[in-house]
Amino acid sequence: MEPSVPSVFCNGHPVRKLPANKREAAVRALSKSKLMAFRQCPKRLWLEIHRPELREDSFATQAIFAVGHQVGDIAQRLYDPKGKGVVIDPQAEGFEAAFARTQDLLKSNQAVFEAGFRAHGALAFADVMLPVKQGGKRTWRMVEVKSSTSVKDYHRDDAAVQAYLARSCGVALSAIALAHIDSAWVYPGADDYDGLLLENDLTDEAFGRSDEVRGWIAEAHQIMAKKKAPAINTGSQCTDPYECGFLAYCRGLEPQAEQPVSWLPRIGKKLAAHIKSNGVIELRDIPDALLNEQQRRVKEVTLSGRTYFDQQAAEKVLASHKLPAYFMDFETIQFAVPIWKGTRPYQQIPFQFSVHRLSRTGKLEQQAFLDLSGKDPSKAFAEALLAACGERGPIFVYNAGFETARVRELTERFPRLAKALLALNERVVDLLPVAREHYYHPSQQGSWSIKAVLPALCPDLNYGDLDGVRDGGMAMASFLEALSPQASATRKAEIERQLLNYCALDTYAMVRLWSAFTGKAVNSHGQTLRHT
């Protein structure tokens, strides 16, 4: 930490003298991200400052960061179509130089990206600063760019901080807006992203919250100056609005339940209130009277260690669905910034499927589709899926809402295939409700995902035994890696093998679950694989 300084700075220039007891807090200006961390949880801020090595960002969090950068790059193109604006890079230029350069650029009539402002113990960099003429004078319009599809409450806090700091530095800020992704926008192709972002004016609101922001900064500095982290237990703030990278650390400091109440499915408001008001962490301490039938079953199985399996009831549910049968699973990718014509932001685009077919004689065959060419796989996917699923027989899936939604989306894009695709949806049978109602193993820990049920019901199968790709998130990441120009032919072939094996296990797992539920044996010896 730097030695004590006598002033708060704005773009490198002292703006006011601080009392001696506040000088220490002014040594380190808090970034906007640190202030947002404080807004989420004061303990998170303290850990960000004093114990950053404890932070463990999840794959999902890292993906959000990457998407944010991508959307920011597109925003620069949209707000500066002629490319005459200036981008400030504080990491390359240094913070002091970035603040000083901002001050100079705000005297010009150029768009400025990542303009830096520092005042009253806080600092921030604005995504977009656009010059505006008002009454013959130059003012500035600020735009904060977000990769979400709507304005969130924490975005409003973000805008309030940005506006406060810019105006504190003497910027003639006339407006501030938040731009987010329009999820209904359809990419026309040809690298044309006009219309991707929607703006929401937050000027009046942001300008009216200066006192709030001033209070946040003061409180955050008080937290930062503490020798120990605030005593705050884990709770809803750990994942709202973001998943905190210190969650695992904080949980490790608290008593760990042997059989946590979080294993109960679908905890309603009344039960949640009882848990919170009584500080209940163990499943055994929840009164049965507060539980529904499924929750009582989870509790009973967990405490007794005895599996619940009503095989006869499961068999009865599935008895009307005769062979031949198909077992279907999709893998999808979504882009905040679409890359294929005719697709929307965050639309789930299927790039892979596996279909196992079980004949009347018990013969098992598999067909697979996977497109790593980098071209839009949608139409080829739809055509291959129709060929793989035939025209009759049940199509078993696990969580029908996902696959049927993707099929409906394909009908919107390819009307000529709509009738045949919708006919597939009419044949879909969901195995998830069967598992949820008639099977529960202590190892499931409140989850009926196929990855939780499979090793319990079919211990010879385990996703952990797969090489490379073991879940949907890894499948998406591997798909993106394969599309990268930097991916070697060897690596691309390895990814292809891993993706095919992963998706095949998804559908073979359903075959095995069906076999266990119906009591009918499956002959998997000599099963054939076709990859299109």
Side-chain angles (χ1 to χ4, degrees):
M1 185 174 286
E2 300 172 13
S4 181
V5 293
S7 309
V8 172
F9 287 81
C10 174
N11 292 342
H13 304 289
V15 295
R16 69 182 177 90
K17 189 79 170 180
L18 286 180
N21 63 345
K22 294 186 178 180
R23 291 177 188 170
E24 184 178 353
V27 172
R28 184 169 188 169
L30 288 169
S31 67
K32 183 183 66 176
S33 64
K34 293 292 192 296
L35 285 174
M36 293 300 101
F38 164 75
R39 292 285 292 145
Q40 180 170 349
C41 174
K43 185 177 181 180
R44 175 176 181 174
L45 170 64
W46 193 93
L47 291 170
E48 292 264 12
I49 298 294
H50 298 284
R51 299 297 304 277
E53 74 280 3
L54 298 175
R55 179 171 172 170
E56 297 178 10
D57 286 328
S58 66
F59 174 81
T61 298
Q62 294 177 45
I64 290 172
F65 291 153
V67 169
H69 290 307
Q70 184 186 22
V71 175
D73 291 342
I74 292 294
Q76 290 181 12
R77 291 168 48 184
L78 294 176
Y79 284 105
D80 184 28
K82 295 183 180 180
K84 295 183 178 181
V86 179
V87 180
I88 297 174
D89 185 350
Q91 299 301 324
E93 301 176 32
F95 276 49
E96 293 300 330
F99 293 134
R101 193 170 176 220
T102 295
Q103 195 79 344
D104 291 336
L105 288 171
L106 292 181
K107 299 173 184 177
S108 70
N109 288 310
Q110 296 172 285
V112 183
F113 302 97
E114 300 302 324
F117 305 105
R118 178 172 59 179
H120 309 312
L123 63 87
F125 291 86
D127 292 330
V128 184
M129 293 290 287
L130 302 172
V132 178
K133 283 288 183 68
Q134 283 191 346
K137 295 182 179 181
R138 180 182 57 246
T139 65
W140 291 89
R141 188 170 79 90
M142 181 186 290
V143 182
E144 284 300 291
V145 180
K146 304 299 178 185
S147 58
S148 65
T149 57
S150 63
V151 180
K152 312 293 185 184
D153 285 344
Y154 56 92
H155 293 154
R156 298 178 185 278
D157 291 353
D158 182 299
V161 171
Q162 291 281 32
Y164 173 74
L165 293 179
R167 297 173 79 199
S168 294
C169 289
V171 177
L173 191 66
S174 56
I176 180 168
L178 186 134
H180 64 79
I181 288 176
D182 179 3
S183 59
W185 178 79
V186 178
Y187 177 46
D191 209 30
D192 178 7
Y193 289 100
D194 187 29
L196 173 66
L197 298 176
L198 283 176
E199 274 195 18
N200 294 263
D201 184 80
L202 300 179
T203 306
D204 292 342
E205 176 185 337
F207 284 11
R209 300 181 70 186
S210 295
D211 289 344
E212 283 185 73
V213 176
R214 192 179 299 112
W216 300 342
I217 296 172
E219 292 171 22
H221 274 283
Q222 290 174 4
I223 293 296
M224 183 178 70
K226 290 182 178 294
K227 294 182 178 180
K228 293 184 179 180
I232 300 174
N233 292 330
T234 56
S236 60
Q237 79 280 1
C238 298
T239 53
D240 182 22
Y242 299 109
E243 179 180 303
C244 178
F246 298 100
L247 179 56
Y249 167 75
C250 291
R251 279 179 173 166
L253 299 177
E254 298 174 353
Q256 299 300 302
E258 182 182 356
Q259 296 158 331
V261 294
S262 59
W263 290 355
L264 288 173
R266 301 176 182 179
I267 296 176
K269 292 182 179 179
K270 184 177 179 180
L271 180 55
H274 173 85
I275 291 171
K276 183 176 181 179
S277 62
N278 292 278
V280 180
I281 64 172
E282 290 287 355
L283 193 57
R284 61 175 175 266
D285 295 327
I286 297 290
D288 287 353
L290 295 177
L291 305 178
N292 60 33
E293 181 181 356
Q294 188 178 61
Q295 291 168 338
R296 284 195 295 271
R297 182 183 304 149
V298 168
K299 178 183 175 181
E300 180 183 344
V301 169
T302 301
L303 297 182
S304 68
R306 294 189 298 270
T307 302
Y308 169 81
F309 186 19
D310 190 343
Q311 193 270 327
Q312 289 184 337
E315 182 180 3
K316 185 177 180 180
V317 171
L318 297 173
S320 62
H321 305 295
K322 307 299 183 182
L323 299 179
Y326 299 81
F327 300 82
M328 179 178 76
D329 181 75
F330 299 168
E331 297 303 325
T332 62
I333 190 69
Q334 57 179 333
F335 300 97
V337 179
I339 65 171
W340 295 313
K341 181 180 178 180
T343 61
R344 301 186 306 275
Y346 293 113
Q347 182 176 358
Q348 297 273 9
I349 310 295
F351 65 83
Q352 177 181 12
F353 71 69
S354 172
V355 172
H356 269 87
R357 181 183 186 274
L358 185 62
S359 72
R360 291 186 179 90
T361 62
K363 182 180 179 182
L364 192 62
E365 298 178 307
Q366 189 220 2
Q367 292 193 51
F369 173 90
L370 175 61
D371 186 349
L372 299 180
S373 68
K375 299 178 181 178
D376 183 359
S378 303
K379 188 175 183 180
F381 176 99
E383 293 171 341
L385 183 67
L386 290 170
C389 290
E391 296 182 354
R392 60 182 57 86
I395 301 174
F396 290 104
V397 299
Y398 204 85
N399 189 14
F402 181 77
E403 274 78 15
T404 55
R406 304 293 79 77
V407 170
R408 286 194 299 272
E409 290 166 357
L410 288 170
T411 67
E412 296 170 3
R413 297 186 60 201
F414 309 108
R416 293 184 180 180
L417 301 177
K419 183 177 180 180
L421 287 169
L422 290 175
L424 295 184
N425 274 1
E426 293 175 0
R427 295 161 54 195
V428 165
V429 180
D430 198 348
L431 288 173
L432 175 57
V434 182
R436 186 179 285 130
E437 292 299 320
H438 305 298
Y439 183 82
Y440 190 76
H441 187 277
S443 67
Q444 289 177 227
Q445 299 183 354
S447 171
W448 277 271
S449 75
I450 197 166
K451 293 172 179 61
V453 175
L454 183 65
L457 196 54
C458 308
D460 59 309
L461 297 179
N462 196 312
Y463 283 86
D465 295 333
L466 289 172
D467 173 31
V469 178
R470 300 185 183 92
D471 59 43
M474 296 176 76
M476 286 192 285
S478 294
F479 177 76
L480 289 176
E481 183 184 352
L483 263 56
S484 169
Q486 285 73 44
S488 66
T490 301
R491 176 57 181 153
K492 197 167 183 176
E494 182 181 37
I495 290 173
E496 181 179 41
R497 175 183 59 79
Q498 292 175 352
L499 285 170
L500 289 170
N501 288 342
Y502 168 66
C503 201
L505 180 56
D506 271 341
T507 49
Y508 182 60
M510 284 187 271
V511 173
R512 292 288 300 276
L513 294 185
W514 174 89
S515 175
F517 292 156
T518 61
K520 297 178 181 178
V522 174
N523 178 17
S524 61
H525 296 291
Q527 67 167 304
T528 58
L529 167 66
R530 282 189 288 168
H531 172 212
T532 56

